[in-house]
Amino acid sequence: MPSSDILWFEEIARDDVAMVGGKNASLGEMVRKLTPAGVAVPSGFATTAGMFRRFVAANGIAAIIQDTLDQRRAGKIALAEAGRTIRAAFLRGDWPDESAAAIANAYKELSQRSGVGDVDVAVRSSATAEDLPDASFAGQQETFLNVAGPAMVLDACRRCYASLFTDRAISYRETKAFDHLKVALSVGVQRMVRSDLGSSGVMFSIDTETGFDRIVIINAAWGLGENVVQGAVDPDEYQVFKPFLDNPRLRPIIQKTLGAKQIKMIYAKEGERPVKNVPTSRVERQSLVLGDADILALARWAQAIERHYGCPMDIEWAKDGRDGSLFIVQARPETVQSQRTAGAHESYRLGAHGRTLCKGLSIGEAIVSGSVCMIRTPDEIDRFVDGAILVTETTDPDWVPIMKRAGAIVTDHGGRTSHAAIVSRELGLPAIVGTGDATHVLHDQQAITVSCAEGDQGFVYDGDAEITVEESDPGEAPATRTEIMLNLANPAAAARWWRLPIDGVGLARMEFVINNAIKIHPMALVHFAAITDTAARAEIEAITRGYADKPAFFVDRLAEGLARIAAVAHPHPCIVRMSDFKTNEYAHLVGGEGFEPEEANPMLGFRGASRYYSPRYRDGFALECRAIRRLREEMGFANVIVMIPFCRTLSEADRVLEVMAENGLKRGQDGLQVYVMCEIPANVILARGFAERFDGFSIGSNDLTQLTLGVDRDSSLLAELFDEEDAAVKWMIRSMIDAAREAGAKVGLCGQAPSDNPAFAAFLVECGIDSISVSPDSFAAVKQHVARA
């Protein structure tokens, strides 16, 4: 082990934490082991823990620390005064001559290596008790950016030492039971990446909310990365599916979300503080920070770093604006989801609730009702009421003592990798970040409900809501011959269910993605130039901002939404049902009224297969086909099976398959399977003919019941007659299963009945059905019913 007080990153390994702290040990490990694999890390050096201890000894600081903390424990002084006293002792301290010379000489050599007089550097704190597998110490110590010249570097190093005793660092160590005097500080001096001219951010090699371990999440903003880390900016977010990254032909980017990115941190002018925040331009706010090539390059680096360390990682990256080069500037173990075990899982369900007050990104999966406590700065800590819902603009590490006392947290700004998000996860608190307006629309002592159980988006509702909590253990599900699959519609919530031992997704509803992520009628995008309604045109322009090619917006959003569902199913099948809106539902999409006929009975009208070859919708269906091709061929989700709904006749089936082939989706080509919904008596009567045209059937018990019994499923007057267990309906289902098995076609059911009634599940098993697809919250119960049957 090297003995010098200055160690270059290439001399440091991951087991040198006691000497250079977690951050610098990780930087050294990456420079030594991952640079040869193509992961770029800016060069630099670290001071040792020994140098820190000599500084403390030379200035008599240990006695000051001990005496001050003794006074705090005795209740004589408050946390803020204790921290201030200790920090002042560090800032007054003088460098031992040999330490000052060692730092100045190393900085001079780094400047020579960089080919400049005084190279600008980042000066980062690296404590010997940080970045441990079960404690992140995220942001507990300071980092100083754009530091240049030996005197400035020495001053920044001294300020790093002092930051070992910020209020939040003292509080955090006490919570984690670390001895203050046994923790030392190393300082990393690293060549700056000119991301002030480019971009930067944070990425995780695991889903930070659900623990889904097959995706990389990347947050990105313009300028230096501190704004993303501290949650001062709402960044872009990208998600990448890891299992496909080793195939260079694929682009498995399964989500791109445009962030507001209102400000960026840049170098300040001479005479000012080293860095400053400025507003971003309109173009910057409306543009994605990273292109596909950079997103995939970063995701591959995240995967390489994770493989090397053998655990999920929390990584900071930067892009140099001068030449476009990407760099990794920090990496540490992820400390929340990676520590969770797959045992009992609490599932929150929202009942009756008040109106929506604001929304943002959800952190955690819980729902909490409580009273608002609006806090503007950490100085107002005395005002905070234990268990209240903390509402503020943004948080930084100074807020941790307040956050620990909160029941939930809501912020105006910040992304999934912001300080508020990271600390909330570690504390096990539900949080909603990046609402934009929480501090404007909420007020002190207001009763609200914070819901983080509805997917990626979190909602703040007025008043107390009905909340139910259920515990389940997915690991206890018994093995069954009949496959149990999931019905999924919401891509944002799909990853919540990745731990369930499912046999795939039996029904992915395309309509939900169109309704929520796209919102625009596909024909209004294809024929945008012909739309005369000025309000509709303006809304379409706003929703598709950044897209000159309007149909491409539909294809991108639909492919990404479905990809997030297919990712949870992979490598098992994911059966995607093509759109099955009724005309009245399509008309409610933006720009939809001019493209939809008025029908007396839309339930039996222009829906499902009949739309796909009709001139009224054929161009819209072509966009759906393009999205499926993107999903299967470009992203890599060959596990996706296409399903055609409401196909009335054999000739209609032929016409639909022909149109699909024209749009590059030919049954059997590249392993493409095409299923058909069985929801019309004609599908049962002509089962053999349909089996010749399709690879499988999915019984839609709601429509099949409606059309077998002649009962409008939406009629409250006839509700008691709508019965999926009626003898006629069961005859239809049994006949369909028998016919499919004789024809060698797969057959499943995707209705609600098996979820509600164990006897119905037993009936399906008795008939020999291949699969049953159910809602996620009833998976465990149905699995048990089927096992018993």
Side-chain angles (χ1 to χ4, degrees):
M1 184 180 284
S3 57
S4 167
D5 272 347
I6 297 291
L7 297 175
W8 292 90
F9 288 159
E10 56 267 27
E11 299 177 281
I12 300 169
R14 65 194 291 186
D15 55 3
D16 290 331
V17 173
M19 188 160 51
V20 294
K23 197 172 294 170
N24 289 332
S26 184
L27 283 168
E29 181 74 10
M30 287 192 293
V31 168
R32 283 162 59 109
K33 298 292 177 65
L34 291 170
T35 299
V39 178
V41 181
S43 56
F45 63 87
T47 67
T48 64
M51 182 181 279
F52 171 83
R53 292 189 177 99
R54 275 188 286 283
F55 183 95
V56 168
N59 291 283
I61 296 174
I64 296 171
I65 293 172
Q66 187 67 61
D67 179 58
T68 304
L69 293 178
D70 284 347
Q71 289 187 61
R72 167 169 152 69
R73 280 189 283 270
K76 295 179 180 179
I77 58 174
L79 171 63
E81 187 180 343
R84 200 161 43 242
T85 301
I86 297 170
R87 291 194 298 276
F90 277 100
L91 294 174
R92 285 194 307 268
D94 294 318
W95 285 102
D97 291 343
E98 64 275 17
S99 296
I103 292 172
N105 289 335
Y107 172 73
K108 184 178 179 182
E109 183 178 337
L110 181 60
S111 297
Q112 289 170 347
R113 290 186 183 189
S114 304
V116 294
D118 281 340
V119 64
D120 43 321
V121 293
V123 181
R124 303 179 186 277
S125 306
S126 178
T128 56
E130 74 177 351
D131 298 343
L132 304 175
D134 59 349
S136 73
F137 290 79
Q140 294 304 315
Q141 282 80 48
E142 300 287 359
T143 290
F144 301 95
L145 304 176
N146 188 21
V147 179
M152 293 280 286
V153 170
L154 282 165
D155 181 58
C157 289
R158 186 189 287 109
R159 287 193 286 162
C160 282
Y161 283 179
S163 77
L164 190 59
F165 287 89
T166 57
D167 299 354
R168 76 250 184 171
I170 295 170
S171 174
Y172 193 89
R173 283 196 296 274
E174 287 174 352
T175 300
K176 294 288 183 181
F178 280 90
D179 186 330
H180 295 288
L181 289 171
K182 288 185 179 176
V183 178
L185 195 108
S186 162
V187 179
V189 179
Q190 186 177 36
R191 181 174 60 80
M192 282 286 291
V193 177
R194 290 304 303 271
S195 58
D196 60 306
L197 304 173
S199 58
S200 54
V202 178
M203 60 181 172
F204 285 83
S205 65
I206 190 173
D207 183 354
T208 49
E209 301 319 309
T210 66
F212 187 36
D213 56 6
R214 284 176 279 165
I215 61 171
V216 174
I217 289 184
I218 302 172
N219 278 187
W222 303 111
L224 300 169
E226 287 300 291
N227 283 338
V228 178
V229 174
Q230 301 297 353
V233 69
D234 303 320
D236 289 352
E237 180 169 300
Y238 318 113
Q239 293 188 15
V240 185
F241 191 57
K242 287 192 293 193
F244 298 159
L245 281 171
D246 291 333
N247 186 338
R249 294 185 299 102
L250 299 178
R251 290 191 303 132
I253 303 168
I254 64 174
Q255 185 190 16
K256 296 180 194 172
T257 303
L258 185 71
K261 308 180 295 288
Q262 305 93 330
I263 56 173
K264 64 177 177 179
M265 186 178 285
I266 61 171
Y267 281 15
K269 293 176 183 173
E270 200 168 328
E272 300 177 336
R273 297 182 67 174
V275 295
K276 64 180 180 181
N277 275 316
V278 297
T280 47
S281 68
R282 182 177 293 183
V283 170
E284 287 172 321
R285 293 177 199 179
Q286 294 183 355
S287 302
L288 291 170
V289 171
L290 296 178
D292 287 2
D294 285 341
I295 294 170
L296 292 171
L298 286 172
R300 290 189 174 104
W301 283 0
Q303 188 175 46
I305 293 167
E306 179 184 65
R307 284 172 175 169
H308 179 75
Y309 281 86
C311 64
M313 298 294 287
D314 168 356
I315 302 159
E316 293 181 29
W317 61 271
K319 181 177 180 177
D320 197 304
R322 296 169 300 185
D323 60 9
S325 300
L326 291 168
F327 293 90
I328 299 299
V329 295
Q330 198 176 129
R332 52 180 165 256
E334 192 275 341
T335 59
V336 179
Q337 290 295 346
S338 55
Q339 300 301 305
R340 284 182 63 178
T341 57
H345 174 72
E346 282 191 342
S347 181
Y348 286 75
R349 192 181 296 178
L350 185 70
H353 59 81
R355 64 191 175 91
T356 302
L357 300 174
C358 56
K359 56 191 176 183
L361 291 171
S362 69
I363 307 300
E365 298 177 355
I367 307 174
V368 170
S369 291
S371 180
V372 169
C373 192
M374 188 91 68
I375 299 285
R376 298 289 181 178
T377 73
D379 297 336
E380 300 176 2
I381 188 169
D382 295 337
R383 280 191 52 239
F384 193 75
V385 180
D386 285 356
I389 295 172
L390 170 64
V391 178
T392 188
E393 291 178 3
T394 186
T395 70
D396 60 34
D398 289 328
W399 288 80
V400 173
I402 302 177
M403 297 169 78
K404 290 191 314 191
R405 296 162 51 195
I409 297 167
V410 181
T411 68
D412 285 348
H413 306 296
R416 209 172 294 284
T417 56
S418 65
H419 175 268
I422 291 172
V423 173
S424 295
R425 285 185 207 106
E426 194 163 325
L427 296 173
L429 293 174
I432 299 176
V433 299
T435 62
D437 60 357
T439 56
H440 293 282
V441 300
L442 304 177
H443 61 79
D444 255 341
Q445 299 180 39
Q446 180 179 9
I448 61 170
T449 296
V450 173
S451 173
C452 296
E454 300 172 69
D456 280 359
Q457 205 165 44
F459 298 88
V460 176
Y461 297 113
D462 192 20
D464 294 337
E466 288 180 7
I467 304 167
T468 54
V469 186
E470 297 174 359
E471 274 204 4
S472 62
D473 187 347
E476 293 178 353
T480 57
R481 180 189 60 78
T482 305
E483 294 180 337
I484 309 300
M485 307 171 84
L486 293 188
N487 297 333
L488 292 177
N490 183 359
R496 292 179 60 199
W497 310 106
W498 74 275
R499 284 190 171 92
L500 293 177
I502 61 172
D503 295 305
V505 170
L507 175 62
R509 297 184 179 95
M510 186 180 284
E511 301 86 53
F512 188 96
V513 181
I514 295 173
N515 219 357
N516 291 272
I518 298 170
K519 302 176 182 175
I520 305 166
H521 195 291
M523 295 296 281
L525 293 168
V526 174
H527 300 290
F528 180 66
I531 293 178
T532 55
D533 183 332
T534 53
R537 285 184 68 88
E539 193 169 356
I540 292 169
E541 288 282 18
I543 294 172
T544 62
R545 70 184 188 276
Y547 278 86
D549 179 357
K550 304 299 181 194
F553 169 81
F554 183 94
V555 175
D556 287 353
R557 288 290 177 275
L558 184 55
E560 289 167 14
L562 294 173
R564 296 175 71 187
I565 296 174
V568 174
H570 189 270
H572 300 295
C574 176
I575 302 171
V576 175
R577 187 178 70 189
M578 305 304 272
S579 66
D580 191 25
F581 281 126
K582 320 310 181 278
T583 50
N584 57 327
E585 295 167 332
Y586 261 122
H588 288 141
L589 294 172
V590 179
E593 283 190 8
F595 295 98
E596 294 298 328
E598 282 196 26
E599 296 185 293
N601 189 351
M603 188 74 78
L604 296 180
F606 186 49
R607 62 175 286 201
S610 61
R611 299 181 67 94
Y612 305 157
Y613 54 85
S614 166
R616 280 183 171 272
Y617 189 73
R618 190 171 180 141
D619 291 342
F621 183 65
L623 298 186
E624 296 181 25
C625 292
R626 276 175 57 188
I628 297 293
R629 284 190 65 186
R630 167 87 50 87
L631 192 60
R632 285 177 52 86
E633 297 170 17
E634 295 180 31
M635 294 183 175
F637 291 101
N639 62 319
V640 165
I641 295 170
V642 173
M643 184 157 66
I644 305 301
F646 224 75
C647 188
R648 294 168 167 98
T649 68
L650 297 177
S651 62
E652 185 164 72
D654 292 334
R655 295 177 77 176
V656 169
L657 291 168
E658 187 180 319
V659 172
M660 287 178 62
E662 289 171 6
N663 286 289
L665 292 179
K666 187 174 183 180
R667 180 188 167 208
Q669 191 170 298
D670 298 322
L672 175 65
Q673 293 186 60
V674 183
Y675 283 17
V676 66
M677 290 289 293
C678 170
E679 48 198 343
I680 304 168
N683 301 141
V684 181
I685 296 164
L686 299 177
R688 186 175 296 280
F690 281 103
E692 291 171 0
R693 291 158 173 81
F694 295 101
D695 300 286
F697 297 88
S698 183
I699 300 169
S701 54
N702 285 342
D703 268 331
L704 188 60
T705 301
Q706 171 176 250
L707 296 174
T708 300
L709 299 179
V711 175
D712 180 353
R713 72 189 207 191
D714 293 335
S715 170
S716 57
L717 297 174
L718 303 176
E720 65 181 41
L721 294 175
F722 187 88
D723 182 8
E724 289 168 303
E725 294 191 70
D726 184 273
V729 179
K730 291 175 81 170
W731 183 91
M732 286 282 185
I733 291 171
R734 185 186 292 276
S735 299
M736 184 70 249
I737 295 170
D738 289 344
R741 291 174 68 81
E742 283 176 22
K746 286 273 192 179
V747 60
L749 183 137
C750 56
Q752 185 62 27
S755 306
D756 299 336
N757 189 343
F760 195 81
F763 162 71
L764 294 172
V765 173
E766 177 199 327
C767 291
I769 201 161
D770 293 309
S771 65
I772 299 172
S773 192
V774 298
S775 55
D777 54 357
S778 58
F779 175 86
V782 173
K783 191 82 168 164
Q784 296 286 353
H785 299 334
V786 169
R788 283 194 289 270

